[in-house]
Amino acid sequence: MKRLWLIVLMLAPLAVLAQQVLVSGTVVDDKSGNPLRQVSVSAGRVSVVTNEDGVFALKLEKQPSAIKVSHVGYKTRQVKLSQENTQGLKVRLVPTTIQLREIVVRTANPRELVDIAISKIPENYSKVPELLKAFYRETAMKRKHYIYVAEGVEDMYKTPYTRSVHRDRVSIVKGRRLLSQKQGDTLGVKVLGGPVLPVQLDVVKNHDILLNKEELDGYKFSMDIPEYINDRLQYVVRIEPGVVKDYALFNGRFYIDSERLAFTRIELELDMTDKEKATNRMLVKKPFGVKFKPRELSCVIDYRYEDGVSRISYLSNIFRFNCDWKKRLLATSFTATCEMVVTDSQSQDVQPIANRSSFDSKDAYYDKVEYFMDPEYWSQYNIIEPSESLDKAIRKLVSKYRRN
């Protein structure tokens, strides 16, 4: 598997379009009332996801008659709108129930099911070049405190899914960053990720990551309990390491549309059984004298079915690790996250992004964008709304920056 790298405290971009109508609210579980994160909220091709507090804000050029709200394991809702009812919405999602006796799996062999889904990639995903708008945010936390926030709007050019990702490109439309001014908060550790993450971690297109025979032969496959996504039944195939290799493998799940046999969602979590192998998979470079102890590397990639085509719609990547310094008694925990949502897509009259304008996988996002303080920075763009805790952290970091 190829590895992509990024500096933990250097992040990537996000995306949105200038729009006029605001549709906002909170999505919660119907029974418990608890907020639901990573819920897709869309109107046609324009979409966002909810944050950790279940909050969303969708900015549109004109008011739609309804928005679609969907989440894995829940019934999809069409929420009708009126001119007086577009903000402060409270959307309750009802969990789906699966009648196992009614489900007919096309093959009893889960590996064969995955192989069939791979063979159908050319017909299930885009056959033409597309230009996607994406909003991307990365954060870094030291223990429970945010020490870095970076985010941006990016254009993402993608060639047809019959081709590799080598000619796919990313360019920054607008970006900003904020770094803690406290000495000792910055940690120059390089791990998997980067501004081109939405290109490189498009697992369905980038077969070097996982969906190739050599990689898949290292796993055991089993059928898991089916789920519904966007009111479409999904076969769920679980994978776990099946052989011992000289690098760490993943545990994960493939969600495969039962009718189209298209990958809808892929969840991966690095096997931490061998800490040395996990470290080699996660870590590229660390400061001298620092001991790196991996705790978690997990990612989620979602694909949304719209207009007869599946395309990447959401990506989340989480790193957790501890660092020990010589002569210190206690280890310090760090969490680095990146999250991307595709907010719009264009399939007509699409032109490639020029190499001179594109972001290279070796580029540091931190060096490409500037410090920010403007509270209206994203006023005309669709973004993943900052959670309450992140919003407070941003205000705190801004305050410290001004004092310094």
Side-chain angles (χ1 to χ4, degrees):
M1 177 187 288
K2 289 186 178 179
R3 291 181 288 182
L4 330 160
W5 309 111
L6 122 96
I7 298 179
V8 149
L9 301 182
M10 318 212 154
L11 286 53
L14 319 94
V16 217
L17 295 173
Q19 282 136 15
Q20 301 167 345
V21 177
L22 176 64
V23 181
S24 63
T26 305
V27 182
V28 301
D29 179 275
D30 181 64
K31 186 174 181 180
S32 68
N34 293 331
L36 297 174
R37 66 185 300 263
Q38 298 180 6
V39 177
S40 173
V41 182
S42 62
R45 284 195 175 189
V46 182
S47 64
V48 293
V49 295
T50 58
N51 65 15
E52 291 183 359
D53 303 325
V55 173
F56 70 90
L58 190 64
K59 299 163 189 174
L60 303 160
E61 293 180 346
K62 60 182 181 179
Q63 182 174 318
S65 60
I67 57 172
K68 183 165 71 173
V69 184
S70 62
H71 192 43
V72 59
Y74 287 84
K75 294 180 180 178
T76 297
R77 278 198 61 182
Q78 295 282 347
V79 180
K80 294 183 178 181
L81 303 175
S82 64
Q83 283 195 324
E84 300 79 23
N85 184 33
T86 60
Q87 299 182 34
L89 303 173
K90 189 166 187 179
V91 182
R92 309 186 77 92
L93 292 187
V94 178
T96 53
T97 55
I98 301 290
Q99 301 293 331
L100 293 178
R101 64 181 180 274
E102 298 177 1
I103 295 173
V104 178
V105 182
R106 301 191 182 191
T107 173
N109 185 335
R111 170 63 188 272
E112 183 180 354
L113 186 60
V114 172
D115 288 340
I116 293 172
I118 293 173
S119 71
K120 286 183 169 289
I121 288 174
E123 68 181 76
N124 283 325
Y125 299 83
S126 180
K127 302 177 182 65
V128 298
E130 292 195 324
L131 187 66
L132 309 181
K133 282 287 185 183
F135 179 81
Y136 191 98
R137 175 184 290 129
E138 283 193 356
T139 65
M141 298 179 70
K142 181 179 181 181
R143 299 188 179 93
K144 296 183 179 181
H145 303 287
Y146 286 97
I147 58 175
Y148 180 80
V149 180
E151 53 191 17
V153 171
E154 67 184 16
D155 282 333
M156 181 162 53
Y157 173 79
K158 296 187 73 66
T159 56
Y161 271 69
T162 52
R163 299 185 181 181
S164 70
V165 298
H166 298 307
R167 297 193 65 185
D168 294 2
R169 295 287 184 269
V170 170
S171 66
I172 298 175
V173 176
K174 189 175 185 180
R176 63 184 190 176
R177 59 174 168 81
L178 186 60
L179 178 66
S180 170
Q181 299 296 298
K182 184 177 179 181
Q183 188 174 8
D185 273 350
T186 303
L187 179 68
V189 173
K190 291 184 180 179
V191 293
L192 181 72
V196 295
L197 199 65
V199 168
Q200 301 290 1
L201 276 189
D202 185 347
V203 177
V204 169
K205 191 176 189 192
N206 189 1
H207 290 190
D208 289 340
I209 296 293
L210 182 60
L211 298 183
N212 63 78
K213 186 178 186 304
E214 182 181 356
E215 285 293 328
L216 292 178
D217 283 348
Y219 290 91
K220 294 188 294 185
F221 294 75
S222 60
M223 297 300 297
D224 210 336
I225 299 173
E227 289 279 7
Y228 275 96
I229 298 178
N230 202 12
D231 286 346
R232 298 179 68 90
L233 181 66
Q234 309 291 318
Y235 299 137
V236 181
V237 176
R238 181 190 293 271
I239 62 170
E240 58 183 305
V243 299
V244 177
K245 292 198 174 186
D246 58 0
Y247 55 88
L249 298 178
F250 288 93
N251 293 288
R253 290 185 180 88
F254 298 134
Y255 294 73
I256 300 173
D257 187 287
S258 63
E259 295 180 20
R260 301 174 62 245
L261 295 183
F263 292 100
T264 302
R265 179 181 175 94
I266 296 175
E267 301 171 351
L268 299 173
E269 186 168 345
L270 190 67
D271 181 25
M272 293 289 169
T273 303
D274 188 316
K275 297 295 184 183
E276 183 177 353
K277 290 181 181 179
T279 296
N280 291 337
R281 175 73 82 174
M282 294 173 63
L283 181 64
V284 182
K285 186 178 180 181
K286 65 178 179 64
F288 179 76
V290 173
K291 294 181 180 179
F292 181 92
K293 296 182 179 180
R295 294 165 48 212
E296 177 188 349
L297 187 171
S298 60
C299 61
V300 172
I301 308 102
D302 280 337
Y303 297 86
R304 189 158 70 97
Y305 180 54
E306 188 77 31
D307 300 331
V309 175
S310 290
R311 55 178 60 88
I312 191 168
S313 63
Y314 176 78
L315 176 90
S316 173
N317 210 21
I318 299 175
F319 286 86
R320 302 187 198 277
F321 55 91
N322 289 351
C323 284
D324 288 336
W325 280 262
K326 291 181 178 179
K327 299 181 181 180
R328 291 191 183 181
L329 297 177
L330 300 176
T332 302
S333 64
F334 290 88
T335 301
T337 66
C338 54
E339 196 173 21
M340 181 277 298
V341 60
V342 172
T343 58
D344 205 351
S345 61
Q346 180 181 340
S347 304
Q348 296 181 347
D349 302 322
V350 171
Q351 298 298 320
I353 295 172
N355 286 339
R356 64 181 180 275
S357 303
S358 66
F359 206 104
D360 189 85
S361 60
K362 297 180 181 179
D363 290 338
Y365 185 73
Y366 184 90
D367 296 329
K368 297 290 184 179
V369 298
E370 298 181 353
Y371 167 79
F372 68 87
M373 287 191 296
D374 181 7
E376 299 300 320
Y377 194 81
W378 301 122
S379 60
Q380 58 180 326
Y381 291 94
N382 277 306
I383 69 170
I384 303 171
E385 288 294 303
S387 64
E388 185 177 353
S389 60
L390 178 58
D391 191 49
K392 288 181 179 178
I394 289 175
R395 291 200 300 268
K396 188 175 181 180
L397 289 172
V398 167
S399 177
K400 288 184 177 179
Y401 185 92
R402 286 172 171 167
R403 288 202 300 268
N404 290 332

